[in-house]
PDB file of all heavy atoms in Angstrom:
ATOM      1  N   ASN A  66      28.321  11.970-191.785  1.00  0.00           N
ATOM      2  CA  ASN A  66      28.917  12.589-192.964  1.00  0.00           C
ATOM      3  C   ASN A  66      28.839  14.127-192.892  1.00  0.00           C
ATOM      4  O   ASN A  66      29.268  14.792-193.877  1.00  0.00           O
ATOM      5  CB  ASN A  66      28.329  12.093-194.281  1.00  0.00           C
ATOM      6  CG  ASN A  66      28.662  10.666-194.562  1.00  0.00           C
ATOM      7  OD1 ASN A  66      29.739  10.168-194.163  1.00  0.00           O
ATOM      8  ND2 ASN A  66      27.738   9.921-195.173  1.00  0.00           N
ATOM      9  N   LEU A  67      28.313  14.671-191.851  1.00  0.00           N
ATOM     10  CA  LEU A  67      28.186  16.104-191.724  1.00  0.00           C
ATOM     11  C   LEU A  67      29.362  16.674-190.886  1.00  0.00           C
ATOM     12  O   LEU A  67      29.811  16.076-189.956  1.00  0.00           O
ATOM     13  CB  LEU A  67      26.851  16.441-191.036  1.00  0.00           C
ATOM     14  CG  LEU A  67      25.546  15.994-191.745  1.00  0.00           C
ATOM     15  CD1 LEU A  67      24.343  16.384-190.869  1.00  0.00           C
ATOM     16  CD2 LEU A  67      25.474  16.607-193.115  1.00  0.00           C
ATOM     17  N   SER A  68      29.704  17.956-191.190  1.00  0.00           N
ATOM     18  CA  SER A  68      30.663  18.611-190.339  1.00  0.00           C
ATOM     19  C   SER A  68      29.937  18.992-189.077  1.00  0.00           C
ATOM     20  O   SER A  68      28.714  18.934-188.987  1.00  0.00           O
ATOM     21  CB  SER A  68      31.200  19.851-191.063  1.00  0.00           C
ATOM     22  OG  SER A  68      30.136  20.823-191.170  1.00  0.00           O
ATOM     23  N   GLU A  69      30.728  19.420-188.069  1.00  0.00           N
ATOM     24  CA  GLU A  69      30.081  19.886-186.830  1.00  0.00           C
ATOM     25  C   GLU A  69      29.112  21.031-187.067  1.00  0.00           C
ATOM     26  O   GLU A  69      28.097  21.136-186.463  1.00  0.00           O
ATOM     27  CB  GLU A  69      31.213  20.348-185.812  1.00  0.00           C
ATOM     28  CG  GLU A  69      31.878  19.172-185.161  1.00  0.00           C
ATOM     29  CD  GLU A  69      32.824  19.654-184.084  1.00  0.00           C
ATOM     30  OE1 GLU A  69      32.487  20.568-183.265  1.00  0.00           O
ATOM     31  OE2 GLU A  69      33.927  19.054-183.930  1.00  0.00           O
ATOM     32  N   LYS A  70      29.512  21.939-187.940  1.00  0.00           N
ATOM     33  CA  LYS A  70      28.705  23.092-188.268  1.00  0.00           C
ATOM     34  C   LYS A  70      27.418  22.672-188.936  1.00  0.00           C
ATOM     35  O   LYS A  70      26.338  23.139-188.580  1.00  0.00           O
ATOM     36  CB  LYS A  70      29.488  24.116-189.182  1.00  0.00           C
ATOM     37  CG  LYS A  70      28.706  25.356-189.465  1.00  0.00           C
ATOM     38  CD  LYS A  70      29.519  26.360-190.247  1.00  0.00           C
ATOM     39  CE  LYS A  70      28.747  27.580-190.568  1.00  0.00           C
ATOM     40  NZ  LYS A  70      29.490  28.549-191.413  1.00  0.00           N
ATOM     41  N   GLU A  71      27.520  21.735-189.926  1.00  0.00           N
ATOM     42  CA  GLU A  71      26.336  21.186-190.586  1.00  0.00           C
ATOM     43  C   GLU A  71      25.430  20.478-189.601  1.00  0.00           C
ATOM     44  O   GLU A  71      24.172  20.622-189.638  1.00  0.00           O
ATOM     45  CB  GLU A  71      26.722  20.270-191.725  1.00  0.00           C
ATOM     46  CG  GLU A  71      27.425  21.037-192.862  1.00  0.00           C
ATOM     47  CD  GLU A  71      28.052  20.045-193.841  1.00  0.00           C
ATOM     48  OE1 GLU A  71      28.450  18.918-193.480  1.00  0.00           O
ATOM     49  OE2 GLU A  71      28.079  20.378-195.055  1.00  0.00           O
ATOM     50  N   SER A  72      26.034  19.725-188.728  1.00  0.00           N
ATOM     51  CA  SER A  72      25.259  18.973-187.725  1.00  0.00           C
ATOM     52  C   SER A  72      24.476  19.965-186.817  1.00  0.00           C
ATOM     53  O   SER A  72      23.318  19.731-186.495  1.00  0.00           O
ATOM     54  CB  SER A  72      26.160  18.087-186.930  1.00  0.00           C
ATOM     55  OG  SER A  72      25.388  17.333-185.990  1.00  0.00           O
ATOM     56  N   ALA A  73      25.173  20.997-186.370  1.00  0.00           N
ATOM     57  CA  ALA A  73      24.551  22.012-185.494  1.00  0.00           C
ATOM     58  C   ALA A  73      23.347  22.725-186.281  1.00  0.00           C
ATOM     59  O   ALA A  73      22.289  22.929-185.678  1.00  0.00           O
ATOM     60  CB  ALA A  73      25.565  23.008-185.026  1.00  0.00           C
ATOM     61  N   THR A  74      23.572  23.036-187.524  1.00  0.00           N
ATOM     62  CA  THR A  74      22.563  23.658-188.340  1.00  0.00           C
ATOM     63  C   THR A  74      21.382  22.700-188.539  1.00  0.00           C
ATOM     64  O   THR A  74      20.201  23.110-188.365  1.00  0.00           O
ATOM     65  CB  THR A  74      23.142  24.048-189.737  1.00  0.00           C
ATOM     66  OG1 THR A  74      24.201  24.947-189.566  1.00  0.00           O
ATOM     67  CG2 THR A  74      22.050  24.655-190.607  1.00  0.00           C
ATOM     68  N   LEU A  75      21.674  21.474-188.798  1.00  0.00           N
ATOM     69  CA  LEU A  75      20.536  20.441-188.910  1.00  0.00           C
ATOM     70  C   LEU A  75      19.735  20.362-187.619  1.00  0.00           C
ATOM     71  O   LEU A  75      18.517  20.380-187.686  1.00  0.00           O
ATOM     72  CB  LEU A  75      21.136  19.100-189.270  1.00  0.00           C
ATOM     73  CG  LEU A  75      20.100  17.958-189.349  1.00  0.00           C
ATOM     74  CD1 LEU A  75      19.029  18.252-190.401  1.00  0.00           C
ATOM     75  CD2 LEU A  75      20.814  16.620-189.633  1.00  0.00           C
ATOM     76  N   GLN A  76      20.361  20.288-186.485  1.00  0.00           N
ATOM     77  CA  GLN A  76      19.678  20.210-185.208  1.00  0.00           C
ATOM     78  C   GLN A  76      18.807  21.426-184.977  1.00  0.00           C
ATOM     79  O   GLN A  76      17.692  21.365-184.538  1.00  0.00           O
ATOM     80  CB  GLN A  76      20.653  20.074-184.046  1.00  0.00           C
ATOM     81  CG  GLN A  76      21.214  18.625-184.016  1.00  0.00           C
ATOM     82  CD  GLN A  76      22.001  18.370-182.740  1.00  0.00           C
ATOM     83  OE1 GLN A  76      21.923  19.137-181.833  1.00  0.00           O
ATOM     84  NE2 GLN A  76      22.742  17.254-182.738  1.00  0.00           N
TER      85      GLN A  76
END
Side-chain angles (χ1 to χ4, degrees):
N66 292 326
L67 299 178
S68 69
E69 283 187 41
K70 184 177 179 182
E71 290 170 328
S72 183
T74 301
L75 176 61
Q76 285 189 14

